Amino acid sequence: MRIISKRTLVDFWLVHAAAQRPLDEWFRFVRRAEWENSQDIKRDFASASFLGDNRVVFNIGGNKFRLIVWVNYAAQAVYIKFIGTHAEYDKIDVEKI
């Protein structure tokens, strides 16, 4: 999968150092993945949650951080929509992100 954009992750972990390792591990894994549907994601990330419109929520770093992405399966691309602490995630409207 192509991830758009890693810079968003790097900018986040520069502020939240504890997120660097788990986000980098997520990035490296997803970059090698070939997901064709949500079941493929669930197989690889059992704790992933699915929102409408091919959006997925990942728990990062033991659920300290939340990552929301939009997946375009046909293009094999993952677009980062939100990365934040669990507390920041609780304040957003996940249906509109």
Side-chain angles (χ1 to χ4, degrees), residues 2 8 11 20 32 58-60 64 74 80:
R2 246 181 354 180
T8 303
D11 288 347
Q20 181 174 359
R32 292 186 308 270
F58 294 94
N59 299 320
I60 304 293
K64 292 178 187 160
I80 296 170

Side-chain angles (χ1 to χ4, degrees), residues 57-88:
V57 180
F58 294 94
N59 299 320
I60 304 293
N63 207 20
K64 292 178 187 160
F65 309 102
R66 293 281 179 99
L67 173 65
I68 301 175
V69 303
W70 179 75
V71 182
N72 183 330
Y73 297 102
Q76 288 291 287
V78 173
Y79 298 83
I80 296 170
K81 304 295 277 175
F82 171 85
I83 178 69
T85 65
H86 199 243
E88 290 167 336

Side-chain angles (χ1 to χ4, degrees), residues 29 33-48 50:
F29 185 91
E34 293 181 13
W35 294 330
E36 294 185 16
N37 53 50
S38 60
Q39 291 83 9
D40 290 344
I41 296 173
K42 198 65 167 174
R43 176 197 64 224
D44 293 337
F45 293 93
S47 66
F50 298 90

